[in-house]
């Protein structure tokens, strides 16, 4: 654990605030943003695997509105309360 926190500290993800009980660390904004971005990527991959979301193919988000000619998604007409039952 000590080596892992030393690595995180050297890369600006955490900072040591105390040496008590082998050290106390606080996460920096950089670490929280990294974790949030990774969680979002993992969530989108899971949703894509379920067929609920499509991943962008070129790495950029797709904010286009669906065309009226596009087929409806399987959950489009499903009430929100029925999605998780």
């Amino acid at each position: 654990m000590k080596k892992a926190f030393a690595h995180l500290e050297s890369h600006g993800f955490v900072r040591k605030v105390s040496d008590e009980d082998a050290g106390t660390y606080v996460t920096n904004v950089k670490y929280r943003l990294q974790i949030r971005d990774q969680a979002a990527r993992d969530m989108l991959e899971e949703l894509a695997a379920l067929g609920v979301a499509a991943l962008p193919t070129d790495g950029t988000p797709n904010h286009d509105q669906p065309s009226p000619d596009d087929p409806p998604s399987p959950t489009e007409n499903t009430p929100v309360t029925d999605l998780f039952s």
Side-chain angles (χ1 to χ4, degrees):
M1 291 300 291
K2 200 175 207 179
K3 187 175 182 178
F5 276 101
H7 173 79
L8 291 171
E9 185 177 28
S10 70
H11 286 83
F13 289 110
V14 298
R15 69 182 155 78
K16 195 171 193 175
V17 293
S18 169
D19 286 326
E20 187 177 320
D21 294 328
T24 303
Y25 294 83
V26 174
T27 58
N28 292 332
V29 172
K30 181 179 176 180
Y31 179 78
R32 292 189 294 268
L33 291 173
Q34 181 77 19
I35 295 300
R36 184 189 69 186
D37 289 347
Q38 182 63 50
R41 279 191 298 274
D42 291 349
M43 178 195 63
L44 285 175
E45 287 175 3
E46 288 290 327
L47 291 173
L50 294 170
V52 177
L55 294 175
T57 56
D58 63 357
T60 59
N62 182 2
H63 299 292
D64 295 336
Q65 295 296 322
S67 165
D69 299 328
D70 289 343
S73 70
T75 58
E76 192 170 287
N77 296 322
T78 305
V80 173
T81 55
D82 294 341
L83 289 175
F84 302 103
S85 54

